[in-house]
Amino acid sequence: MGTDLASAQQLIIAIDGPAGAGKSTVARTLAGRFGLLNLESGAMYRAFALKALRASVAVSDSARLEALALDTEIRLEPTAEGNRVILDGEDVTALLRTPEVTEAASRVSVYPPVRARMVELQQMMGAMGGVVMEGRDIGTVVFPNAEVKIFLDAAPEIRGERRYAQLGPAPTVPAEEIVRDLRERDERDRNRAESPLKAAEDAVIIDSTNLTLDEVVNEAERIVRQRLG
Ligand code: DC
């Protein structure tokens, strides 16, 4: 099935799925192969969580989180090394991968007003097309009309192992803890009332449990080419 697009440069590709399924690698590689911008929506929730932590707003204080979200500007700037994340004019890229921010991002992202603000910012960034955006609700909520929707999944043990391997040669956190945290965040993402993590009805599902990342990327590329006709 082809699309009416003049070229791949106008495409919107939505990549959703749980943590550790390979979304970032697939999104980055597809963006490179098709000349698109790669936008990581999770980094925006992380930046907002950092702002809440700095302001000592509790992750359970929905009223203050809402007020804070309305007063927040977050921009992603794609570079060869990945997205630079600009929070209210400050480059916070290096501050977003700590366990504290990871945990807080998972918690603040359950609130509808927080999501509404992030979705608004994401839609503005993708308005002209030409983007691969990865996250949890891109194909269902942010860009329901995306030309390509891919839902990447994998067994939780495999996703935990991949995350553990990313920590480098001598991780300070035990593997079991990584898997446990990942499962907890998954549960929250899949079961929240607002925009839970789930595949869009028209998404192509890739289960990467028994695939190498190369195989996943090639499959994703095949799906995009098929859509382009
Ligand atoms: O993809 P990530 O690990 O950087 O995402 C951080 C958190 O943000 C994750 O716990 C779920 C949330 N998130 C979300 O709710 N919706 C998105 N589109 C992206 C991330």
Side-chain angles (χ1 to χ4, degrees):
M1 181 182 61
T3 74
D4 296 332
L5 290 170
S7 76
Q9 270 64 43
Q10 291 168 284
L11 266 181
I12 295 184
I13 302 180
I15 303 197
D16 290 302
K23 296 191 299 292
S24 302
T25 311
V26 171
R28 191 172 50 239
T29 314
L30 285 183
R33 289 186 188 174
F34 290 95
L36 309 171
L37 295 180
N38 173 28
L39 301 174
E40 291 172 86
S41 65
M44 301 175 70
Y45 287 92
R46 288 172 182 270
F48 178 70
L50 175 71
K51 179 165 173 164
L53 289 169
R54 282 174 165 178
S56 301
V57 175
V59 291
S60 56
D61 190 341
S62 57
R64 285 191 68 199
L65 287 171
E66 173 170 4
L68 202 65
L70 291 173
D71 190 31
T72 296
E73 285 297 332
I74 301 171
R75 215 172 60 241
L76 299 178
E77 291 184 356
T79 73
E81 288 79 44
N83 285 174
R84 278 154 56 93
V85 189
I86 314 297
L87 167 66
D88 299 325
E90 176 192 353
D91 185 343
V92 295
T93 315
L95 309 176
L96 303 181
R97 299 279 151 191
T98 64
E100 199 188 10
V101 169
T102 301
E103 173 71 14
S106 162
R107 292 184 180 276
V108 297
S109 62
V110 304
Y111 296 110
V114 172
R115 302 201 66 81
R117 178 67 182 142
M118 297 303 125
V119 168
E120 185 185 19
L121 293 168
Q122 289 152 10
Q123 287 173 336
M124 283 192 290
M125 284 190 299
M128 309 296 289
V131 300
V132 181
M133 192 175 283
E134 57 136 312
R136 306 292 189 287
D137 61 342
I138 310 305
T140 50
V141 176
V142 182
F143 295 120
N145 297 322
E147 285 80 16
V148 183
K149 299 181 187 179
I150 294 175
F151 191 88
L152 262 184
D153 212 343
E157 309 77 53
I158 298 290
R159 294 189 286 111
E161 275 173 27
R162 288 179 189 160
R163 273 289 140 101
Y164 188 67
Q166 282 167 359
L167 295 179
T172 50
V173 190
E176 304 77 59
E177 197 174 316
I178 299 279
V179 175
R180 196 194 58 220
D181 288 356
L182 189 124
R183 278 184 194 267
E184 275 176 18
R185 281 189 282 126
D186 264 13
E187 284 287 295
R188 236 184 336 260
D189 287 349
R190 288 186 202 268
N191 294 313
R192 67 182 174 226
E194 180 78 9
S195 315
L197 168 66
K198 64 167 192 225
E201 274 177 19
D202 50 352
V204 180
I205 298 174
I206 305 179
D207 185 334
S208 73
T209 306
N210 297 311
L211 300 178
T212 64
L213 270 177
D214 265 359
E215 288 171 329
V216 178
V217 167
N218 289 336
E219 173 63 6
E221 180 177 347
R222 196 190 59 74
I223 291 163
V224 177
R225 293 203 183 282
Q226 196 177 43
R227 283 295 154 96
L228 282 171

